[in-house]
Amino acid sequence: MTEVFMECTLVPDGAPIRQGDVFIFSNDLTNSDIWRKAGIIVTADCDIANDKHAGILSYVPILPLRDYLAWRVLPRIASDRRKRIIRQLSEMIGRLEDDQGIKPGLSMRAIEVMATEDGGLTDLESYLKNISKKDKDTIAAMINEIATCDRVHLTSGYTEQFTALTSLCTPTKKKSAREVLLGDIRDRLKNLPGDVFFISTLDLEHTEGYVAYLRLVRETNLRQISTSYYYKDGRRVVAKRTSRLRAPYVYRLTQQMADVFASIGLPTEYEGARDFIFDNRLAPDPE
């Protein structure tokens, strides 16, 4: 008898591999390699049943939710914040140039470089000459915020990234800085890109939230995935099936995966050549 829990269901011991089967690598989910923690089989059932796969199964990796956030979401929050700060810093320096009658000479890119290099604050103060202590403190705070955003990109740990970003959030009357950041993260998770598929639980033990990354398709040998407790410690086994994604979730996952690879952009040169042909080669040549 199988047990159902949200999107997945347990599979009877020894049942054949099928599309949608979820497996966890033998090092469990503690491996530092986020792409080798768990996976979900995407090889079609008809290919498996008719042995058309030659023993090779395709799968997409599954990431714990926090690993996905640390890899993709928090760095984007930091990037968005960084761009906004640099734009504000550029506007402030432009105002100070105007106040002092200095001919505008620093582009936004130049300001970004100065703000991220050692001694950049001193160089900006020298360039602007007579500025108030309040303005100096404001510029220094902006440069520190940019450095904090950069640190988010230099670390892969969710806790460190979260702590750094929390320090940049402004609390409100109703929300702490932590709650403001959590709200931003939740909003982004509600609008996940088409190349990821959220799974709340993998089995009764793994219930922390997970993401299947549909853009990265990998392969493994059928014999390397254990479907039975008895064989889980075999020499060639590297992973153990733990559950199966059930309908309609497995159908939605494969549909999204097809959409990811079906959408192929073409270069502008191609479109330009096409338009040229359409504009100049359709009319018959004059007799």
Side-chain angles (χ1 to χ4, degrees), residues 51-82:
D51 199 24
K52 293 182 179 180
H53 54 79
I56 302 299
L57 297 175
S58 297
Y59 73 92
V60 294
I62 294 175
L63 287 68
L65 181 59
R66 286 193 174 186
D67 284 349
Y68 172 75
L69 292 173
W71 167 60
R72 200 171 194 182
V73 177
L74 297 192
R76 289 191 176 182
I77 292 177
S79 293
D80 292 344
R81 176 95 184 186
R82 188 181 191 275

PDB file of all heavy atoms in Angstrom, residues 51-82:
ATOM      1  N   ASP A  51      12.357  -0.537 -23.318  1.00  0.00           N
ATOM      2  CA  ASP A  51      13.815  -0.635 -23.221  1.00  0.00           C
ATOM      3  C   ASP A  51      14.518   0.129 -24.335  1.00  0.00           C
ATOM      4  O   ASP A  51      15.516  -0.328 -24.891  1.00  0.00           O
ATOM      5  CB  ASP A  51      14.242  -2.103 -23.235  1.00  0.00           C
ATOM      6  CG  ASP A  51      15.652  -2.291 -22.680  1.00  0.00           C
ATOM      7  OD1 ASP A  51      16.089  -1.427 -21.892  1.00  0.00           O
ATOM      8  OD2 ASP A  51      16.317  -3.263 -23.060  1.00  0.00           O
ATOM      9  N   LYS A  52      13.997   1.311 -24.664  1.00  0.00           N
ATOM     10  CA  LYS A  52      14.609   2.129 -25.705  1.00  0.00           C
ATOM     11  C   LYS A  52      15.714   3.032 -25.164  1.00  0.00           C
ATOM     12  O   LYS A  52      16.398   3.699 -25.936  1.00  0.00           O
ATOM     13  CB  LYS A  52      13.544   3.002 -26.385  1.00  0.00           C
ATOM     14  CG  LYS A  52      12.518   2.220 -27.190  1.00  0.00           C
ATOM     15  CD  LYS A  52      11.540   3.186 -27.854  1.00  0.00           C
ATOM     16  CE  LYS A  52      10.512   2.428 -28.696  1.00  0.00           C
ATOM     17  NZ  LYS A  52       9.550   3.371 -29.342  1.00  0.00           N
ATOM     18  N   HIS A  53      15.870   3.057 -23.860  1.00  0.00           N
ATOM     19  CA  HIS A  53      16.827   3.975 -23.234  1.00  0.00           C
ATOM     20  C   HIS A  53      18.213   3.365 -23.083  1.00  0.00           C
ATOM     21  O   HIS A  53      19.145   4.045 -22.655  1.00  0.00           O
ATOM     22  CB  HIS A  53      16.323   4.412 -21.866  1.00  0.00           C
ATOM     23  CG  HIS A  53      15.990   3.264 -20.963  1.00  0.00           C
ATOM     24  ND1 HIS A  53      16.946   2.549 -20.292  1.00  0.00           N
ATOM     25  CD2 HIS A  53      14.813   2.698 -20.644  1.00  0.00           C
ATOM     26  CE1 HIS A  53      16.373   1.599 -19.570  1.00  0.00           C
ATOM     27  NE2 HIS A  53      15.068   1.660 -19.774  1.00  0.00           N
ATOM     28  N   ALA A  54      18.353   2.094 -23.429  1.00  0.00           N
ATOM     29  CA  ALA A  54      19.654   1.399 -23.346  1.00  0.00           C
ATOM     30  C   ALA A  54      20.274   1.473 -21.951  1.00  0.00           C
ATOM     31  O   ALA A  54      21.496   1.535 -21.797  1.00  0.00           O
ATOM     32  CB  ALA A  54      20.616   1.979 -24.380  1.00  0.00           C
ATOM     33  N   GLY A  55      19.415   1.497 -20.951  1.00  0.00           N
ATOM     34  CA  GLY A  55      19.924   1.510 -19.582  1.00  0.00           C
ATOM     35  C   GLY A  55      20.313   2.876 -19.072  1.00  0.00           C
ATOM     36  O   GLY A  55      20.762   3.016 -17.928  1.00  0.00           O
ATOM     37  N   ILE A  56      20.164   3.926 -19.902  1.00  0.00           N
ATOM     38  CA  ILE A  56      20.514   5.287 -19.503  1.00  0.00           C
ATOM     39  C   ILE A  56      19.237   6.092 -19.265  1.00  0.00           C
ATOM     40  O   ILE A  56      18.381   6.193 -20.149  1.00  0.00           O
ATOM     41  CB  ILE A  56      21.371   5.990 -20.576  1.00  0.00           C
ATOM     42  CG1 ILE A  56      22.643   5.188 -20.835  1.00  0.00           C
ATOM     43  CG2 ILE A  56      21.703   7.414 -20.132  1.00  0.00           C
ATOM     44  CD1 ILE A  56      23.544   5.031 -19.628  1.00  0.00           C
ATOM     45  N   LEU A  57      19.094   6.643 -18.071  1.00  0.00           N
ATOM     46  CA  LEU A  57      17.922   7.435 -17.708  1.00  0.00           C
ATOM     47  C   LEU A  57      18.271   8.917 -17.648  1.00  0.00           C
ATOM     48  O   LEU A  57      19.333   9.294 -17.140  1.00  0.00           O
ATOM     49  CB  LEU A  57      17.386   6.991 -16.347  1.00  0.00           C
ATOM     50  CG  LEU A  57      16.884   5.547 -16.243  1.00  0.00           C
ATOM     51  CD1 LEU A  57      16.517   5.245 -14.792  1.00  0.00           C
ATOM     52  CD2 LEU A  57      15.701   5.314 -17.166  1.00  0.00           C
ATOM     53  N   SER A  58      17.380   9.725 -18.156  1.00  0.00           N
ATOM     54  CA  SER A  58      17.541  11.174 -18.052  1.00  0.00           C
ATOM     55  C   SER A  58      16.812  11.674 -16.808  1.00  0.00           C
ATOM     56  O   SER A  58      15.737  11.177 -16.463  1.00  0.00           O
ATOM     57  CB  SER A  58      16.969  11.872 -19.294  1.00  0.00           C
ATOM     58  OG  SER A  58      17.666  11.485 -20.456  1.00  0.00           O
ATOM     59  N   TYR A  59      17.410  12.641 -16.149  1.00  0.00           N
ATOM     60  CA  TYR A  59      16.766  13.215 -14.975  1.00  0.00           C
ATOM     61  C   TYR A  59      17.118  14.690 -14.865  1.00  0.00           C
ATOM     62  O   TYR A  59      18.076  15.173 -15.491  1.00  0.00           O
ATOM     63  CB  TYR A  59      17.192  12.484 -13.698  1.00  0.00           C
ATOM     64  CG  TYR A  59      18.616  12.759 -13.240  1.00  0.00           C
ATOM     65  CD1 TYR A  59      18.901  13.778 -12.329  1.00  0.00           C
ATOM     66  CD2 TYR A  59      19.688  11.998 -13.715  1.00  0.00           C
ATOM     67  CE1 TYR A  59      20.199  14.025 -11.908  1.00  0.00           C
ATOM     68  CE2 TYR A  59      20.986  12.239 -13.297  1.00  0.00           C
ATOM     69  CZ  TYR A  59      21.232  13.257 -12.393  1.00  0.00           C
ATOM     70  OH  TYR A  59      22.535  13.506 -11.989  1.00  0.00           O
ATOM     71  N   VAL A  60      16.319  15.420 -14.110  1.00  0.00           N
ATOM     72  CA  VAL A  60      16.640  16.809 -13.794  1.00  0.00           C
ATOM     73  C   VAL A  60      16.945  16.879 -12.297  1.00  0.00           C
ATOM     74  O   VAL A  60      16.323  16.177 -11.498  1.00  0.00           O
ATOM     75  CB  VAL A  60      15.493  17.770 -14.164  1.00  0.00           C
ATOM     76  CG1 VAL A  60      15.301  17.817 -15.672  1.00  0.00           C
ATOM     77  CG2 VAL A  60      14.189  17.390 -13.474  1.00  0.00           C
ATOM     78  N   PRO A  61      17.917  17.688 -11.912  1.00  0.00           N
ATOM     79  CA  PRO A  61      18.298  17.757 -10.495  1.00  0.00           C
ATOM     80  C   PRO A  61      17.232  18.434  -9.647  1.00  0.00           C
ATOM     81  O   PRO A  61      16.506  19.322 -10.108  1.00  0.00           O
ATOM     82  CB  PRO A  61      19.601  18.563 -10.516  1.00  0.00           C
ATOM     83  CG  PRO A  61      19.555  19.331 -11.787  1.00  0.00           C
ATOM     84  CD  PRO A  61      18.788  18.518 -12.759  1.00  0.00           C
ATOM     85  N   ILE A  62      17.157  18.003  -8.409  1.00  0.00           N
ATOM     86  CA  ILE A  62      16.274  18.611  -7.414  1.00  0.00           C
ATOM     87  C   ILE A  62      17.141  19.290  -6.364  1.00  0.00           C
ATOM     88  O   ILE A  62      18.071  18.690  -5.826  1.00  0.00           O
ATOM     89  CB  ILE A  62      15.371  17.558  -6.751  1.00  0.00           C
ATOM     90  CG1 ILE A  62      14.385  16.978  -7.776  1.00  0.00           C
ATOM     91  CG2 ILE A  62      14.626  18.153  -5.571  1.00  0.00           C
ATOM     92  CD1 ILE A  62      13.538  15.849  -7.222  1.00  0.00           C
ATOM     93  N   LEU A  63      16.846  20.554  -6.076  1.00  0.00           N
ATOM     94  CA  LEU A  63      17.585  21.319  -5.076  1.00  0.00           C
ATOM     95  C   LEU A  63      16.703  21.578  -3.868  1.00  0.00           C
ATOM     96  O   LEU A  63      15.519  21.914  -4.024  1.00  0.00           O
ATOM     97  CB  LEU A  63      18.022  22.678  -5.636  1.00  0.00           C
ATOM     98  CG  LEU A  63      19.145  22.771  -6.661  1.00  0.00           C
ATOM     99  CD1 LEU A  63      18.740  22.154  -7.990  1.00  0.00           C
ATOM    100  CD2 LEU A  63      19.539  24.235  -6.871  1.00  0.00           C
ATOM    101  N   PRO A  64      17.246  21.452  -2.660  1.00  0.00           N
ATOM    102  CA  PRO A  64      16.511  21.952  -1.492  1.00  0.00           C
ATOM    103  C   PRO A  64      16.217  23.445  -1.686  1.00  0.00           C
ATOM    104  O   PRO A  64      17.009  24.171  -2.292  1.00  0.00           O
ATOM    105  CB  PRO A  64      17.496  21.724  -0.335  1.00  0.00           C
ATOM    106  CG  PRO A  64      18.353  20.588  -0.801  1.00  0.00           C
ATOM    107  CD  PRO A  64      18.507  20.796  -2.282  1.00  0.00           C
ATOM    108  N   LEU A  65      15.077  23.888  -1.202  1.00  0.00           N
ATOM    109  CA  LEU A  65      14.624  25.252  -1.456  1.00  0.00           C
ATOM    110  C   LEU A  65      15.671  26.291  -1.064  1.00  0.00           C
ATOM    111  O   LEU A  65      15.911  27.254  -1.809  1.00  0.00           O
ATOM    112  CB  LEU A  65      13.318  25.511  -0.695  1.00  0.00           C
ATOM    113  CG  LEU A  65      12.710  26.898  -0.878  1.00  0.00           C
ATOM    114  CD1 LEU A  65      12.398  27.172  -2.345  1.00  0.00           C
ATOM    115  CD2 LEU A  65      11.451  27.052  -0.024  1.00  0.00           C
ATOM    116  N   ARG A  66      16.311  26.103   0.079  1.00  0.00           N
ATOM    117  CA  ARG A  66      17.292  27.105   0.516  1.00  0.00           C
ATOM    118  C   ARG A  66      18.510  27.135  -0.406  1.00  0.00           C
ATOM    119  O   ARG A  66      19.108  28.196  -0.609  1.00  0.00           O
ATOM    120  CB  ARG A  66      17.719  26.838   1.960  1.00  0.00           C
ATOM    121  CG  ARG A  66      16.658  27.213   2.970  1.00  0.00           C
ATOM    122  CD  ARG A  66      17.211  27.241   4.381  1.00  0.00           C
ATOM    123  NE  ARG A  66      16.231  27.726   5.337  1.00  0.00           N
ATOM    124  CZ  ARG A  66      16.497  27.963   6.620  1.00  0.00           C
ATOM    125  NH1 ARG A  66      17.726  27.738   7.084  1.00  0.00           N
ATOM    126  NH2 ARG A  66      15.562  28.409   7.427  1.00  0.00           N
ATOM    127  N   ASP A  67      18.894  25.982  -0.958  1.00  0.00           N
ATOM    128  CA  ASP A  67      19.997  25.973  -1.923  1.00  0.00           C
ATOM    129  C   ASP A  67      19.610  26.753  -3.173  1.00  0.00           C
ATOM    130  O   ASP A  67      20.424  27.481  -3.750  1.00  0.00           O
ATOM    131  CB  ASP A  67      20.359  24.537  -2.300  1.00  0.00           C
ATOM    132  CG  ASP A  67      21.149  23.830  -1.215  1.00  0.00           C
ATOM    133  OD1 ASP A  67      21.586  24.512  -0.269  1.00  0.00           O
ATOM    134  OD2 ASP A  67      21.325  22.600  -1.303  1.00  0.00           O
ATOM    135  N   TYR A  68      18.367  26.574  -3.611  1.00  0.00           N
ATOM    136  CA  TYR A  68      17.887  27.325  -4.781  1.00  0.00           C
ATOM    137  C   TYR A  68      17.877  28.824  -4.488  1.00  0.00           C
ATOM    138  O   TYR A  68      18.316  29.632  -5.320  1.00  0.00           O
ATOM    139  CB  TYR A  68      16.489  26.861  -5.154  1.00  0.00           C
ATOM    140  CG  TYR A  68      15.843  27.717  -6.225  1.00  0.00           C
ATOM    141  CD1 TYR A  68      16.239  27.614  -7.558  1.00  0.00           C
ATOM    142  CD2 TYR A  68      14.856  28.636  -5.899  1.00  0.00           C
ATOM    143  CE1 TYR A  68      15.662  28.405  -8.540  1.00  0.00           C
ATOM    144  CE2 TYR A  68      14.270  29.428  -6.872  1.00  0.00           C
ATOM    145  CZ  TYR A  68      14.671  29.313  -8.190  1.00  0.00           C
ATOM    146  OH  TYR A  68      14.101  30.108  -9.152  1.00  0.00           O
ATOM    147  N   LEU A  69      17.408  29.205  -3.309  1.00  0.00           N
ATOM    148  CA  LEU A  69      17.375  30.617  -2.942  1.00  0.00           C
ATOM    149  C   LEU A  69      18.781  31.206  -2.912  1.00  0.00           C
ATOM    150  O   LEU A  69      19.011  32.326  -3.394  1.00  0.00           O
ATOM    151  CB  LEU A  69      16.711  30.792  -1.574  1.00  0.00           C
ATOM    152  CG  LEU A  69      15.210  30.471  -1.493  1.00  0.00           C
ATOM    153  CD1 LEU A  69      14.746  30.529  -0.045  1.00  0.00           C
ATOM    154  CD2 LEU A  69      14.405  31.427  -2.348  1.00  0.00           C
ATOM    155  N   ALA A  70      19.737  30.447  -2.350  1.00  0.00           N
ATOM    156  CA  ALA A  70      21.113  30.930  -2.258  1.00  0.00           C
ATOM    157  C   ALA A  70      21.773  31.021  -3.623  1.00  0.00           C
ATOM    158  O   ALA A  70      22.635  31.874  -3.853  1.00  0.00           O
ATOM    159  CB  ALA A  70      21.933  30.025  -1.333  1.00  0.00           C
ATOM    160  N   TRP A  71      21.390  30.127  -4.523  1.00  0.00           N
ATOM    161  CA  TRP A  71      21.981  30.117  -5.863  1.00  0.00           C
ATOM    162  C   TRP A  71      21.380  31.180  -6.774  1.00  0.00           C
ATOM    163  O   TRP A  71      22.096  31.854  -7.517  1.00  0.00           O
ATOM    164  CB  TRP A  71      21.798  28.732  -6.500  1.00  0.00           C
ATOM    165  CG  TRP A  71      22.095  28.691  -7.967  1.00  0.00           C
ATOM    166  CD1 TRP A  71      23.277  28.985  -8.580  1.00  0.00           C
ATOM    167  CD2 TRP A  71      21.177  28.359  -9.027  1.00  0.00           C
ATOM    168  NE1 TRP A  71      23.161  28.846  -9.952  1.00  0.00           N
ATOM    169  CE2 TRP A  71      21.881  28.460 -10.244  1.00  0.00           C
ATOM    170  CE3 TRP A  71      19.840  27.971  -9.047  1.00  0.00           C
ATOM    171  CZ2 TRP A  71      21.281  28.198 -11.474  1.00  0.00           C
ATOM    172  CZ3 TRP A  71      19.248  27.699 -10.270  1.00  0.00           C
ATOM    173  CH2 TRP A  71      19.972  27.819 -11.458  1.00  0.00           C
ATOM    174  N   ARG A  72      20.076  31.383  -6.686  1.00  0.00           N
ATOM    175  CA  ARG A  72      19.408  32.182  -7.704  1.00  0.00           C
ATOM    176  C   ARG A  72      18.644  33.400  -7.192  1.00  0.00           C
ATOM    177  O   ARG A  72      18.705  34.465  -7.799  1.00  0.00           O
ATOM    178  CB  ARG A  72      18.443  31.295  -8.491  1.00  0.00           C
ATOM    179  CG  ARG A  72      18.045  31.859  -9.841  1.00  0.00           C
ATOM    180  CD  ARG A  72      17.270  30.828 -10.642  1.00  0.00           C
ATOM    181  NE  ARG A  72      17.146  31.200 -12.036  1.00  0.00           N
ATOM    182  CZ  ARG A  72      16.480  30.489 -12.929  1.00  0.00           C
ATOM    183  NH1 ARG A  72      15.886  29.370 -12.566  1.00  0.00           N
ATOM    184  NH2 ARG A  72      16.402  30.879 -14.180  1.00  0.00           N
ATOM    185  N   VAL A  73      17.939  33.261  -6.075  1.00  0.00           N
ATOM    186  CA  VAL A  73      17.028  34.321  -5.653  1.00  0.00           C
ATOM    187  C   VAL A  73      17.729  35.418  -4.859  1.00  0.00           C
ATOM    188  O   VAL A  73      17.637  36.606  -5.198  1.00  0.00           O
ATOM    189  CB  VAL A  73      15.859  33.726  -4.840  1.00  0.00           C
ATOM    190  CG1 VAL A  73      14.944  34.837  -4.324  1.00  0.00           C
ATOM    191  CG2 VAL A  73      15.058  32.758  -5.707  1.00  0.00           C
ATOM    192  N   LEU A  74      18.446  35.050  -3.790  1.00  0.00           N
ATOM    193  CA  LEU A  74      19.095  36.071  -2.969  1.00  0.00           C
ATOM    194  C   LEU A  74      20.134  36.880  -3.748  1.00  0.00           C
ATOM    195  O   LEU A  74      20.214  38.102  -3.577  1.00  0.00           O
ATOM    196  CB  LEU A  74      19.707  35.438  -1.715  1.00  0.00           C
ATOM    197  CG  LEU A  74      18.702  34.794  -0.746  1.00  0.00           C
ATOM    198  CD1 LEU A  74      19.381  34.460   0.583  1.00  0.00           C
ATOM    199  CD2 LEU A  74      17.499  35.684  -0.508  1.00  0.00           C
ATOM    200  N   PRO A  75      20.958  36.249  -4.619  1.00  0.00           N
ATOM    201  CA  PRO A  75      21.867  37.065  -5.426  1.00  0.00           C
ATOM    202  C   PRO A  75      21.132  38.055  -6.331  1.00  0.00           C
ATOM    203  O   PRO A  75      21.622  39.166  -6.567  1.00  0.00           O
ATOM    204  CB  PRO A  75      22.632  36.025  -6.254  1.00  0.00           C
ATOM    205  CG  PRO A  75      22.629  34.802  -5.400  1.00  0.00           C
ATOM    206  CD  PRO A  75      21.268  34.800  -4.766  1.00  0.00           C
ATOM    207  N   ARG A  76      19.951  37.693  -6.809  1.00  0.00           N
ATOM    208  CA  ARG A  76      19.185  38.624  -7.646  1.00  0.00           C
ATOM    209  C   ARG A  76      18.616  39.775  -6.816  1.00  0.00           C
ATOM    210  O   ARG A  76      18.542  40.908  -7.289  1.00  0.00           O
ATOM    211  CB  ARG A  76      18.064  37.875  -8.365  1.00  0.00           C
ATOM    212  CG  ARG A  76      18.593  36.965  -9.466  1.00  0.00           C
ATOM    213  CD  ARG A  76      17.489  36.431 -10.345  1.00  0.00           C
ATOM    214  NE  ARG A  76      18.048  35.640 -11.436  1.00  0.00           N
ATOM    215  CZ  ARG A  76      17.332  35.074 -12.395  1.00  0.00           C
ATOM    216  NH1 ARG A  76      16.014  35.226 -12.405  1.00  0.00           N
ATOM    217  NH2 ARG A  76      17.910  34.375 -13.345  1.00  0.00           N
ATOM    218  N   ILE A  77      18.208  39.470  -5.590  1.00  0.00           N
ATOM    219  CA  ILE A  77      17.764  40.545  -4.702  1.00  0.00           C
ATOM    220  C   ILE A  77      18.913  41.510  -4.452  1.00  0.00           C
ATOM    221  O   ILE A  77      18.748  42.740  -4.479  1.00  0.00           O
ATOM    222  CB  ILE A  77      17.240  39.962  -3.374  1.00  0.00           C
ATOM    223  CG1 ILE A  77      15.940  39.180  -3.614  1.00  0.00           C
ATOM    224  CG2 ILE A  77      17.009  41.079  -2.354  1.00  0.00           C
ATOM    225  CD1 ILE A  77      15.388  38.511  -2.367  1.00  0.00           C
ATOM    226  N   ALA A  78      20.115  40.950  -4.233  1.00  0.00           N
ATOM    227  CA  ALA A  78      21.298  41.792  -4.018  1.00  0.00           C
ATOM    228  C   ALA A  78      21.616  42.619  -5.257  1.00  0.00           C
ATOM    229  O   ALA A  78      21.959  43.808  -5.156  1.00  0.00           O
ATOM    230  CB  ALA A  78      22.493  40.925  -3.637  1.00  0.00           C
ATOM    231  N   SER A  79      21.501  42.017  -6.441  1.00  0.00           N
ATOM    232  CA  SER A  79      21.782  42.743  -7.686  1.00  0.00           C
ATOM    233  C   SER A  79      20.794  43.879  -7.894  1.00  0.00           C
ATOM    234  O   SER A  79      21.179  44.993  -8.291  1.00  0.00           O
ATOM    235  CB  SER A  79      21.738  41.785  -8.882  1.00  0.00           C
ATOM    236  OG  SER A  79      22.789  40.849  -8.825  1.00  0.00           O
ATOM    237  N   ASP A  80      19.519  43.607  -7.638  1.00  0.00           N
ATOM    238  CA  ASP A  80      18.507  44.658  -7.784  1.00  0.00           C
ATOM    239  C   ASP A  80      18.780  45.809  -6.825  1.00  0.00           C
ATOM    240  O   ASP A  80      18.675  46.986  -7.193  1.00  0.00           O
ATOM    241  CB  ASP A  80      17.111  44.082  -7.521  1.00  0.00           C
ATOM    242  CG  ASP A  80      16.672  43.101  -8.594  1.00  0.00           C
ATOM    243  OD1 ASP A  80      17.298  43.087  -9.672  1.00  0.00           O
ATOM    244  OD2 ASP A  80      15.713  42.340  -8.349  1.00  0.00           O
ATOM    245  N   ARG A  81      19.127  45.461  -5.600  1.00  0.00           N
ATOM    246  CA  ARG A  81      19.418  46.482  -4.591  1.00  0.00           C
ATOM    247  C   ARG A  81      20.665  47.276  -4.989  1.00  0.00           C
ATOM    248  O   ARG A  81      20.701  48.505  -4.866  1.00  0.00           O
ATOM    249  CB  ARG A  81      19.646  45.799  -3.243  1.00  0.00           C
ATOM    250  CG  ARG A  81      20.054  46.733  -2.117  1.00  0.00           C
ATOM    251  CD  ARG A  81      18.868  47.165  -1.318  1.00  0.00           C
ATOM    252  NE  ARG A  81      19.214  48.132  -0.303  1.00  0.00           N
ATOM    253  CZ  ARG A  81      18.350  48.571   0.594  1.00  0.00           C
ATOM    254  NH1 ARG A  81      17.108  48.117   0.601  1.00  0.00           N
ATOM    255  NH2 ARG A  81      18.707  49.472   1.487  1.00  0.00           N
ATOM    256  N   ARG A  82      21.666  46.584  -5.478  1.00  0.00           N
ATOM    257  CA  ARG A  82      22.925  47.236  -5.871  1.00  0.00           C
ATOM    258  C   ARG A  82      22.689  48.249  -6.991  1.00  0.00           C
ATOM    259  O   ARG A  82      23.205  49.371  -6.957  1.00  0.00           O
ATOM    260  CB  ARG A  82      23.926  46.169  -6.317  1.00  0.00           C
ATOM    261  CG  ARG A  82      25.343  46.658  -6.577  1.00  0.00           C
ATOM    262  CD  ARG A  82      26.194  45.492  -7.030  1.00  0.00           C
ATOM    263  NE  ARG A  82      27.603  45.808  -7.046  1.00  0.00           N
ATOM    264  CZ  ARG A  82      28.214  46.397  -8.067  1.00  0.00           C
ATOM    265  NH1 ARG A  82      27.522  46.744  -9.144  1.00  0.00           N
ATOM    266  NH2 ARG A  82      29.520  46.640  -8.016  1.00  0.00           N
TER     267      ARG A  82
END
